[in-house]
Structures are given as structure tokens and as C-alpha cells.
Amino acid sequence: LEERALAILRPRALEASPAAITAPTNVFQQLLDVIDVTDPRCGISAENFRVLADRVNFDRRRGRYDHTLTLGAP
């Protein structure tokens, strides 16, 4: 019964309040990967998130590529 309830709630959890982070480019990053995020400034310590979207940005002034990852529930 609990497994069924979790399966029903999972799509809603994936849609709920997505977050975004910017990180250095990682060529191995793929959609739907589960990643660990640690940021002591935000009080996050090895929390799991699923990558829902991945956008690569290029800053011409700095000559640097970055990823903007949209994250959801694992």
C-alpha cells in the first residue's frame, strides 16, 4: 500500500518547486541524473536532487561556460 501511494505521489513531487543551480560545465551531466548538492551557506548537506533541465551558458566577457541545472525531487 505504501509503495502504491509513493508511486502515485511521485509525479507531483517531481513537479513541485523546482530549484536551479549554476555549476561549472560537466560534459557527463545528463537529464534525469540524481546528483548530490552540498552548500553550507544554504544549509544543504549532500541532499539528492534529480536533474530536470540542463542549459549551457557562455559568458563572452569571462570566456567561461557554465551549466544551469533545474532540479527536482529524486
Side-chain angles (χ1 to χ4, degrees), residues 7 16-17 20-21 26 29-31 35 38 42-43 51 53 63-64 71 74:
S17 62
I21 61 170
N26 177 357
Q29 189 64 61
Q30 295 184 13
L31 292 179
I35 62 171
T38 299
C42 298
V51 177
R64 180 177 164 166
L71 307 174

Side-chain angles (χ1 to χ4, degrees), residues 21 33-39 44-51 71:
I21 61 170
D33 280 353
V34 176
I35 62 171
D36 291 336
V37 176
T38 299
D39 189 348
I44 298 173
S45 177
E47 194 168 327
N48 291 333
F49 292 94
R50 185 170 302 277
V51 177
L71 307 174

